[in-house]
Amino acid sequence: MNLHLINDVPDGLTRRARSFVSAHGVKVDVPPVEGHRQRWLERDIPAAVIDRVAAYQERWGGLLLPPAPQYDGGPKYLDPDSPEEDSAGWWFEAGMQRTAVPYSFMISPSGEFGIQGGRWAPLHTTVEGWVESLALARHASMWARQVTKLVGDDVDGIDLNGYAPVREVMGLADTWWRGPDSLVALYSGEATALDFPRGRVAVIYSGLDEWGLRGGVDDDG
């Protein structure tokens, strides 16, 4: 596996996420999607779908980031696989699993990033949201005075009154919340995809100052 430093961080990310990708990400050499185009066309995969996969790979292909705090680290690196169709449309893999988890990391027909197990669990509206969540987790863990993890039914005891959603993560099954001196990450993807309520996880990063709460990112991301 050939690894390279990242020269051009994808645009559309917050300053915090750009810094995270630049400092902690590397690029893996991956074969171009265009090499598969003719074979995919012969399998009746529409050209527009192939264009979509190619655009994803051009933007994200080969990006290897530090392990995510959940989902056994997330994809090993971002790189699409052959598109597959179902009644909802065309899907493709966002990247291979880093570890042996019972689901795949997928991009939905509408562009959501999530996991496909027994059921589909969209984690973030886009893959940018996933990258933002990784950056925020790294930032919060560095600056929090205390980190508390809750699992299953204990998650229900969290009071988010006075908290606001962290919009840059574009959360769906997974969300982040910002309070006066803490950040709360809620992960429910595995609970949804595997029909496993105890798979819900909350991580509370407390004792944060203004920099810890935002990391130079304002409320509008």
Side-chain angles (χ1 to χ4, degrees):
M1 179 186 295
N2 293 323
L3 304 179
H4 309 279
L5 296 177
I6 295 176
N7 295 321
D8 296 314
V9 175
D11 58 10
L13 298 172
T14 63
R15 181 172 61 179
R16 179 180 55 231
R18 292 195 304 271
S19 176
F20 169 73
V21 172
S22 177
H24 302 289
V26 293
K27 276 292 189 80
V28 178
D29 287 336
V30 293
V33 163
E34 290 302 325
H36 303 293
R37 181 176 289 270
Q38 186 57 41
R39 179 166 55 88
W40 288 356
L41 288 171
E42 292 169 357
R43 291 176 47 204
D44 295 324
I45 298 175
V49 172
I50 300 174
D51 290 344
R52 181 169 161 253
V53 178
Y56 174 88
Q57 188 190 52
E58 183 177 357
R59 181 168 172 79
W60 300 108
L63 178 60
L64 190 159
L65 295 169
Q70 303 298 320
Y71 307 106
D72 274 6
K76 186 174 183 179
Y77 53 86
L78 297 176
D79 191 48
D81 202 351
S82 175
E84 300 293 340
E85 185 183 26
D86 66 9
S87 59
W90 289 92
W91 305 66
F92 60 88
E93 191 173 28
M96 69 177 70
Q97 300 98 320
R98 191 183 298 257
T99 57
V101 291
Y103 44 77
S104 299
F105 297 94
M106 304 294 292
I107 302 296
S108 76
S110 55
E112 299 158 329
F113 174 94
I115 58 174
Q116 179 71 61
R119 296 169 56 190
W120 165 240
L123 305 183
H124 303 272
T125 303
T126 66
V127 70
E128 284 87 348
W130 167 256
V131 176
E132 291 282 357
S133 72
L134 298 184
L136 186 56
R138 171 62 68 102
H139 173 83
S141 65
M142 289 178 59
W143 292 95
R145 295 183 179 178
Q146 180 175 332
V147 179
T148 305
K149 183 176 181 178
L150 302 176
V151 176
D153 291 343
D154 290 342
V155 174
D156 295 331
I158 297 176
D159 182 6
L160 292 177
N161 184 39
Y163 283 68
V166 178
R167 286 178 282 185
E168 61 263 26
V169 304
M170 295 174 274
L172 295 172
D174 290 356
T175 56
W176 279 78
W177 299 81
R178 181 183 289 116
D181 64 354
S182 61
L183 287 163
V184 177
L186 299 178
Y187 302 96
S188 61
E190 288 188 348
T192 300
L194 305 177
D195 194 20
F196 178 54
R198 186 164 172 76
R200 291 186 301 154
V201 174
V203 182
I204 304 170
Y205 302 89
S206 55
L208 295 170
D209 59 14
E210 184 66 16
W211 173 257
L213 287 172
R214 304 178 189 280
V217 179
D218 62 25
D219 285 336
D220 294 325

